[in-house]
Short mmCIF file of all heavy atoms in Angstrom, two decimals:
data_model
loop_
_atom_site.label_atom_id
_atom_site.label_comp_id
_atom_site.label_asym_id
_atom_site.label_seq_id
_atom_site.Cartn_x
_atom_site.Cartn_y
_atom_site.Cartn_z
N GLY A 400 54.35 -33.67 -98.13
CA GLY A 400 54.86 -32.79 -99.18
C GLY A 400 54.30 -31.38 -99.10
O GLY A 400 53.34 -31.09 -98.39
N ASP A 401 54.91 -30.49 -99.90
CA ASP A 401 54.48 -29.09 -99.91
C ASP A 401 53.04 -28.96 -100.42
O ASP A 401 52.31 -28.07 -99.99
CB ASP A 401 55.42 -28.26 -100.79
CG ASP A 401 56.80 -28.08 -100.16
OD1 ASP A 401 56.90 -28.29 -98.94
OD2 ASP A 401 57.75 -27.73 -100.89
N GLY A 402 52.64 -29.83 -101.34
CA GLY A 402 51.28 -29.76 -101.86
C GLY A 402 50.26 -30.04 -100.76
O GLY A 402 49.25 -29.35 -100.64
N ALA A 403 50.52 -31.06 -99.95
CA ALA A 403 49.62 -31.39 -98.85
C ALA A 403 49.61 -30.28 -97.80
O ALA A 403 48.56 -29.92 -97.26
CB ALA A 403 50.01 -32.72 -98.21
N LEU A 404 50.79 -29.73 -97.53
CA LEU A 404 50.85 -28.62 -96.57
C LEU A 404 50.06 -27.41 -97.07
O LEU A 404 49.40 -26.72 -96.29
CB LEU A 404 52.31 -28.23 -96.32
CG LEU A 404 53.09 -29.10 -95.33
CD1 LEU A 404 54.56 -28.72 -95.32
CD2 LEU A 404 52.50 -28.96 -93.93
N ARG A 405 50.14 -27.16 -98.37
CA ARG A 405 49.40 -26.03 -98.93
C ARG A 405 47.89 -26.28 -98.80
O ARG A 405 47.11 -25.38 -98.51
CB ARG A 405 49.79 -25.82 -100.38
CG ARG A 405 49.22 -24.54 -101.00
CD ARG A 405 49.74 -24.33 -102.41
NE ARG A 405 51.18 -24.04 -102.40
CZ ARG A 405 52.12 -24.87 -102.83
NH1 ARG A 405 51.78 -26.07 -103.27
NH2 ARG A 405 53.38 -24.53 -102.79
N GLN A 406 47.46 -27.50 -99.05
CA GLN A 406 46.04 -27.82 -98.88
C GLN A 406 45.60 -27.65 -97.42
O GLN A 406 44.51 -27.14 -97.15
CB GLN A 406 45.77 -29.25 -99.34
CG GLN A 406 45.81 -29.45 -100.84
CD GLN A 406 45.50 -30.89 -101.21
OE1 GLN A 406 46.01 -31.83 -100.60
NE2 GLN A 406 44.66 -31.07 -102.22
N ILE A 407 46.44 -28.07 -96.49
CA ILE A 407 46.11 -27.93 -95.07
C ILE A 407 45.98 -26.46 -94.70
O ILE A 407 44.99 -26.05 -94.06
CB ILE A 407 47.19 -28.62 -94.21
CG1 ILE A 407 47.11 -30.14 -94.36
CG2 ILE A 407 47.06 -28.22 -92.75
CD1 ILE A 407 48.26 -30.90 -93.74
N ALA A 408 46.95 -25.65 -95.11
CA ALA A 408 46.90 -24.23 -94.77
C ALA A 408 45.70 -23.54 -95.42
O ALA A 408 45.01 -22.73 -94.79
CB ALA A 408 48.20 -23.55 -95.21
N ALA A 409 45.42 -23.87 -96.67
CA ALA A 409 44.29 -23.25 -97.37
C ALA A 409 42.97 -23.65 -96.73
O ALA A 409 42.03 -22.83 -96.62
CB ALA A 409 44.31 -23.65 -98.84
N THR A 410 42.85 -24.90 -96.29
CA THR A 410 41.61 -25.36 -95.66
C THR A 410 41.37 -24.65 -94.34
O THR A 410 40.25 -24.20 -94.06
CB THR A 410 41.67 -26.88 -95.45
OG1 THR A 410 41.85 -27.53 -96.72
CG2 THR A 410 40.39 -27.38 -94.81
N CYS A 411 42.41 -24.54 -93.52
CA CYS A 411 42.26 -23.84 -92.23
C CYS A 411 41.90 -22.38 -92.44
O CYS A 411 41.08 -21.81 -91.70
CB CYS A 411 43.54 -23.98 -91.41
SG CYS A 411 43.88 -25.66 -90.84
N ALA A 412 42.51 -21.76 -93.45
CA ALA A 412 42.19 -20.36 -93.74
C ALA A 412 40.75 -20.22 -94.25
O ALA A 412 40.04 -19.27 -93.90
CB ALA A 412 43.18 -19.79 -94.75
N ALA A 413 40.32 -21.15 -95.09
CA ALA A 413 38.97 -21.06 -95.67
C ALA A 413 37.89 -21.18 -94.60
O ALA A 413 36.84 -20.54 -94.71
CB ALA A 413 38.79 -22.16 -96.73
N PHE A 414 38.14 -21.97 -93.57
CA PHE A 414 37.14 -22.14 -92.51
C PHE A 414 37.38 -21.21 -91.32
O PHE A 414 36.73 -21.36 -90.28
CB PHE A 414 37.10 -23.59 -92.06
CG PHE A 414 36.43 -24.51 -93.05
CD1 PHE A 414 37.18 -25.25 -93.95
CD2 PHE A 414 35.06 -24.59 -93.13
CE1 PHE A 414 36.58 -26.08 -94.88
CE2 PHE A 414 34.44 -25.42 -94.05
CZ PHE A 414 35.20 -26.16 -94.94
N GLU A 415 38.32 -20.28 -91.47
CA GLU A 415 38.54 -19.20 -90.50
C GLU A 415 38.77 -19.73 -89.08
O GLU A 415 38.22 -19.21 -88.11
CB GLU A 415 37.36 -18.22 -90.50
CG GLU A 415 37.14 -17.53 -91.83
CD GLU A 415 35.97 -16.55 -91.78
OE1 GLU A 415 35.10 -16.70 -90.90
OE2 GLU A 415 35.96 -15.64 -92.61
N VAL A 416 39.61 -20.75 -88.95
CA VAL A 416 39.93 -21.24 -87.62
C VAL A 416 40.94 -20.30 -86.98
O VAL A 416 41.76 -19.68 -87.65
CB VAL A 416 40.49 -22.68 -87.66
CG1 VAL A 416 39.45 -23.63 -88.20
CG2 VAL A 416 41.75 -22.75 -88.49
N ASP A 417 40.85 -20.15 -85.67
CA ASP A 417 41.74 -19.25 -84.95
C ASP A 417 43.04 -19.97 -84.61
O ASP A 417 43.05 -21.14 -84.25
CB ASP A 417 41.07 -18.77 -83.65
CG ASP A 417 39.84 -17.93 -83.92
OD1 ASP A 417 39.84 -17.20 -84.93
OD2 ASP A 417 38.88 -18.00 -83.13
N GLY A 418 44.14 -19.21 -84.71
CA GLY A 418 45.44 -19.75 -84.32
C GLY A 418 45.99 -20.74 -85.33
O GLY A 418 45.44 -20.96 -86.41
N MET A 419 47.10 -21.36 -84.94
CA MET A 419 47.80 -22.30 -85.82
C MET A 419 47.70 -23.75 -85.35
O MET A 419 48.22 -24.64 -86.02
CB MET A 419 49.28 -21.90 -85.93
CG MET A 419 49.52 -20.57 -86.59
SD MET A 419 48.94 -20.52 -88.30
CE MET A 419 50.00 -21.77 -89.04
N ARG A 420 47.04 -23.99 -84.22
CA ARG A 420 46.97 -25.36 -83.72
C ARG A 420 46.25 -26.28 -84.71
O ARG A 420 46.63 -27.44 -84.89
CB ARG A 420 46.29 -25.41 -82.36
CG ARG A 420 46.24 -26.82 -81.77
CD ARG A 420 45.68 -26.86 -80.36
NE ARG A 420 46.67 -26.40 -79.41
CZ ARG A 420 46.55 -25.30 -78.68
NH1 ARG A 420 45.48 -24.55 -78.82
NH2 ARG A 420 47.48 -24.95 -77.82
N ALA A 421 45.22 -25.76 -85.39
CA ALA A 421 44.47 -26.58 -86.34
C ALA A 421 45.37 -27.07 -87.47
O ALA A 421 45.28 -28.23 -87.90
CB ALA A 421 43.29 -25.80 -86.90
N ASP A 422 46.24 -26.18 -88.00
CA ASP A 422 47.15 -26.58 -89.07
C ASP A 422 48.08 -27.70 -88.62
O ASP A 422 48.31 -28.68 -89.35
CB ASP A 422 47.99 -25.39 -89.53
CG ASP A 422 47.13 -24.20 -89.97
OD1 ASP A 422 46.39 -23.66 -89.13
OD2 ASP A 422 47.22 -23.82 -91.16
N ILE A 423 48.60 -27.55 -87.40
CA ILE A 423 49.54 -28.56 -86.89
C ILE A 423 48.83 -29.89 -86.66
O ILE A 423 49.34 -30.97 -87.02
CB ILE A 423 50.20 -28.05 -85.59
CG1 ILE A 423 51.03 -26.79 -85.89
CG2 ILE A 423 51.06 -29.13 -84.96
CD1 ILE A 423 51.53 -26.09 -84.65
N VAL A 424 47.63 -29.83 -86.06
CA VAL A 424 46.89 -31.06 -85.81
C VAL A 424 46.51 -31.74 -87.12
O VAL A 424 46.61 -32.97 -87.25
CB VAL A 424 45.63 -30.77 -84.97
CG1 VAL A 424 44.72 -31.99 -84.90
CG2 VAL A 424 46.02 -30.33 -83.56
N MET A 425 46.09 -30.96 -88.12
CA MET A 425 45.76 -31.56 -89.42
C MET A 425 46.96 -32.24 -90.04
O MET A 425 46.85 -33.33 -90.62
CB MET A 425 45.22 -30.48 -90.36
CG MET A 425 43.72 -30.28 -90.30
SD MET A 425 43.12 -29.24 -91.65
CE MET A 425 43.42 -30.33 -93.07
N ALA A 426 48.13 -31.59 -89.94
CA ALA A 426 49.34 -32.19 -90.51
C ALA A 426 49.68 -33.51 -89.82
O ALA A 426 50.00 -34.51 -90.48
CB ALA A 426 50.50 -31.21 -90.39
N ARG A 427 49.60 -33.54 -88.51
CA ARG A 427 49.90 -34.77 -87.77
C ARG A 427 48.86 -35.85 -88.06
O ARG A 427 49.20 -37.04 -88.16
CB ARG A 427 49.95 -34.47 -86.27
CG ARG A 427 51.16 -33.63 -85.86
CD ARG A 427 51.08 -33.19 -84.41
NE ARG A 427 52.31 -32.51 -83.98
CZ ARG A 427 52.41 -31.80 -82.88
NH1 ARG A 427 51.36 -31.68 -82.07
NH2 ARG A 427 53.55 -31.22 -82.56
N THR A 428 47.59 -35.45 -88.17
CA THR A 428 46.54 -36.42 -88.45
C THR A 428 46.68 -37.01 -89.84
O THR A 428 46.53 -38.23 -90.04
CB THR A 428 45.16 -35.76 -88.29
OG1 THR A 428 45.05 -35.17 -87.00
CG2 THR A 428 44.05 -36.77 -88.48
N ALA A 429 46.97 -36.16 -90.84
CA ALA A 429 47.16 -36.66 -92.20
C ALA A 429 48.33 -37.63 -92.27
O ALA A 429 48.29 -38.64 -92.98
CB ALA A 429 47.36 -35.49 -93.16
N THR A 430 49.40 -37.31 -91.55
CA THR A 430 50.57 -38.20 -91.51
C THR A 430 50.22 -39.54 -90.86
O THR A 430 50.62 -40.61 -91.36
CB THR A 430 51.71 -37.52 -90.74
OG1 THR A 430 52.03 -36.27 -91.33
CG2 THR A 430 52.97 -38.39 -90.76
N ALA A 431 49.46 -39.49 -89.76
CA ALA A 431 49.05 -40.73 -89.10
C ALA A 431 48.12 -41.55 -89.99
O ALA A 431 48.18 -42.79 -90.01
CB ALA A 431 48.37 -40.41 -87.77
N LEU A 432 47.26 -40.88 -90.76
CA LEU A 432 46.38 -41.59 -91.69
C LEU A 432 47.18 -42.33 -92.75
O LEU A 432 46.86 -43.48 -93.10
CB LEU A 432 45.42 -40.59 -92.35
CG LEU A 432 44.20 -40.17 -91.53
CD1 LEU A 432 43.59 -38.89 -92.09
CD2 LEU A 432 43.16 -41.29 -91.52
N ALA A 433 48.21 -41.68 -93.28
CA ALA A 433 49.05 -42.34 -94.28
C ALA A 433 49.75 -43.55 -93.68
O ALA A 433 49.81 -44.63 -94.30
CB ALA A 433 50.06 -41.34 -94.85
N ALA A 434 50.28 -43.40 -92.46
CA ALA A 434 50.97 -44.52 -91.81
C ALA A 434 49.98 -45.66 -91.52
O ALA A 434 50.32 -46.84 -91.68
CB ALA A 434 51.63 -44.05 -90.52
N TRP A 435 48.78 -45.33 -91.10
CA TRP A 435 47.76 -46.35 -90.83
C TRP A 435 47.41 -47.11 -92.10
O TRP A 435 47.13 -48.32 -92.07
CB TRP A 435 46.54 -45.69 -90.21
CG TRP A 435 45.40 -46.63 -89.92
CD1 TRP A 435 44.20 -46.70 -90.54
CD2 TRP A 435 45.38 -47.65 -88.92
NE1 TRP A 435 43.42 -47.69 -90.00
CE2 TRP A 435 44.11 -48.30 -88.99
CE3 TRP A 435 46.29 -48.09 -87.96
CZ2 TRP A 435 43.75 -49.33 -88.15
CZ3 TRP A 435 45.94 -49.13 -87.12
CH2 TRP A 435 44.69 -49.75 -87.21
N ALA A 436 47.43 -46.42 -93.25
CA ALA A 436 47.14 -47.07 -94.53
C ALA A 436 48.36 -47.78 -95.10
O ALA A 436 48.25 -48.40 -96.18
CB ALA A 436 46.63 -46.03 -95.53
N GLY A 437 49.51 -47.70 -94.44
CA GLY A 437 50.71 -48.37 -94.92
C GLY A 437 51.44 -47.61 -96.01
O GLY A 437 52.22 -48.21 -96.75
N ARG A 438 51.21 -46.29 -96.12
CA ARG A 438 51.85 -45.48 -97.16
C ARG A 438 52.89 -44.55 -96.54
O ARG A 438 52.82 -44.23 -95.36
CB ARG A 438 50.81 -44.63 -97.90
CG ARG A 438 49.87 -45.44 -98.78
CD ARG A 438 48.95 -44.52 -99.57
NE ARG A 438 47.69 -44.27 -98.86
CZ ARG A 438 47.40 -43.18 -98.19
NH1 ARG A 438 48.30 -42.22 -98.09
NH2 ARG A 438 46.24 -43.03 -97.59
N THR A 439 53.82 -44.11 -97.37
CA THR A 439 54.82 -43.15 -96.93
C THR A 439 54.59 -41.77 -97.52
O THR A 439 55.39 -40.86 -97.29
CB THR A 439 56.24 -43.63 -97.32
OG1 THR A 439 56.29 -43.85 -98.73
CG2 THR A 439 56.60 -44.91 -96.58
N ASP A 440 53.53 -41.59 -98.30
CA ASP A 440 53.18 -40.28 -98.87
C ASP A 440 51.78 -39.90 -98.40
O ASP A 440 50.87 -40.73 -98.37
CB ASP A 440 53.21 -40.30 -100.40
CG ASP A 440 54.63 -40.33 -100.94
OD1 ASP A 440 55.47 -39.57 -100.42
OD2 ASP A 440 54.89 -41.13 -101.86
N VAL A 441 51.61 -38.63 -98.07
CA VAL A 441 50.30 -38.10 -97.68
C VAL A 441 49.55 -37.68 -98.94
O VAL A 441 50.05 -36.90 -99.74
CB VAL A 441 50.45 -36.90 -96.72
CG1 VAL A 441 49.10 -36.26 -96.45
CG2 VAL A 441 51.11 -37.34 -95.42
#
Side-chain angles (χ1 to χ4, degrees):
D401 290 342
L404 279 173
R405 188 175 292 109
Q406 287 181 315
I407 290 171
T410 301
C411 292
F414 286 98
E415 299 181 338
V416 297
D417 296 326
M419 295 298 297
R420 182 175 284 114
D422 304 62
I423 297 171
V424 170
M425 271 191 68
R427 290 172 174 166
T428 305
T430 303
L432 280 162
W435 178 250
R438 290 185 268 101
T439 56
D440 286 316
V441 174

